[in-house]
Amino acid sequence: MDFAVGVSVFLVTAAFAFAFVPGIIAPFADPGTADPVTANRIADDLAADRLTAAGDEYVLDADRTADFFGDPDPVGALAVPQFRTVNVTVENASGNTSSPVTVGGERAAAGPETPSNADVTTAWRPVTVHDRRLELIVRVW
């Protein structure tokens, strides 16, 4: 009886280890998978600091936003790992259209188009510009 209980506990423990340990280390092992940490970090940085006036989180400053998107390589200014690709877009929050808006005379889109066959992580933040409700969308793959 003791042997059967001991073997049963061992088998349950081994099955648990084989089932859950790969899932625990997977985000750190494969650079080809989605990256929610990077997407959220970039979205927070842009919506709460880099594109806003001092003290106005989620209220984009039109001049700073236009300067960011007018830069020849705006994504290069972000802290992104070399093996990641980033697309940053500001879109209408109404959901009627998914095309980028114009902020301060600049088209608010940076980075390459999102491929249809990539594992893409999306982070978005509701923002306003001149009392217009918009969405800042960051896609990482």
Side-chain angles (χ1 to χ4, degrees), residues 62-63 65-71 90 100-109:
D63 294 333
T65 303
D67 289 344
F68 175 79
F69 287 109
D71 186 357
V90 179
V101 298
T102 301
V103 178
E106 292 290 334
R107 182 175 179 266

Side-chain angles (χ1 to χ4, degrees), residues 41-60:
R41 182 179 43 80
I42 292 171
D44 285 337
D45 177 46
L46 292 173
D49 184 41
R50 191 178 299 246
L51 300 181
T52 63
D56 285 335
E57 292 182 349
Y58 303 102
V59 178
L60 301 184

Side-chain angles (χ1 to χ4, degrees), residues 112-124:
E113 291 293 321
T114 307
S116 60
N117 61 349
D119 187 13
V120 179
T121 301
T122 303
W124 63 92

Side-chain angles (χ1 to χ4, degrees), residues 79-140:
V80 180
Q82 291 290 337
F83 56 89
R84 294 287 180 208
T85 305
V86 177
N87 175 287
V88 179
T89 310
V90 179
E91 299 178 358
N92 283 321
S94 63
N96 295 338
T97 180
S98 62
S99 62
V101 298
T102 301
V103 178
E106 292 290 334
R107 182 175 179 266
E113 291 293 321
T114 307
S116 60
N117 61 349
D119 187 13
V120 179
T121 301
T122 303
W124 63 92
R125 301 293 182 269
V127 295
T128 58
V129 176
H130 299 300
D131 296 328
R132 276 184 4 195
R133 188 176 167 333
L134 303 170
E135 288 183 349
L136 173 72
I137 301 172
V138 176
R139 296 174 181 95
V140 177

